[in-house]
Amino acid sequence: QVQLLDAGGGLVQAGGSLRLSCAASGGTLSSYAMGWFRQAPGKEREFVAAISWSGGNTYYADFVEGRFTISRDNNKNTVYLQMNSLKPEDADVYYCAASFTGGLMHQEASYDYWGQGTQVTVSS
């Protein structure tokens, strides 16, 4: 069974940057399409970005507006989310997820495995 370990969250000032990482164990990451979601307290989890098995296709939520970049290094079994120009409203717990079958990558139901989440805090 694949296990995902999210890391890289922290406190950053508005306008700053963070790079989240998601390391996989127990499986080969290249077998999975990958996504990032985020969730604020009391709210539903929302889609942020996704990347295909090979990395050739990427997908982003509208609110990203070119500020975030998802990438993957299958040799390192790791997926990244580079977040620039962070805003206070980006403060959430961010989760990576792995999808074996792909499908609608913006939907939670498409994913088979989830990381434990990493907290991002953005001060204004």
Side-chain angles (χ1 to χ4, degrees):
Q1 181 171 343
V2 173
Q3 293 184 326
L4 303 176
L5 181 62
D6 304 323
L11 172 63
V12 64
Q13 288 187 333
S17 299
L18 282 174
R19 188 175 80 154
L20 307 183
S21 65
C22 174
S25 61
T28 303
L29 203 63
S30 59
S31 299
Y32 298 87
M34 300 295 295
W36 285 95
F37 287 73
R38 68 186 191 183
Q39 187 173 24
K43 294 187 177 181
E44 294 187 355
R45 197 171 297 184
E46 65 175 348
F47 171 73
V48 177
I51 189 167
S52 61
W53 292 267
S54 66
N57 293 297
T58 56
Y59 313 89
Y60 296 95
D62 290 341
F63 65 78
V64 168
E65 300 175 323
R67 300 179 296 127
F68 299 175
T69 302
I70 187 170
S71 62
R72 66 190 300 158
D73 185 339
N74 287 338
N75 290 328
K76 294 183 178 180
N77 247 17
T78 302
V79 174
Y80 304 96
L81 183 68
Q82 176 68 45
M83 304 189 295
N84 299 326
S85 302
L86 283 162
K87 304 175 182 179
E89 52 264 41
D90 293 319
D92 279 326
V93 179
Y94 283 70
Y95 300 87
C96 74
S99 172
F100 188 71
T101 56
L104 299 174
M105 301 307 299
H106 65 286
Q107 293 187 348
E108 287 186 66
S110 298
Y111 294 86
D112 305 290
Y113 302 103
W114 292 83
Q116 83 291 351
T118 184
Q119 176 72 55
V120 171
T121 304
V122 184
S123 63
S124 57

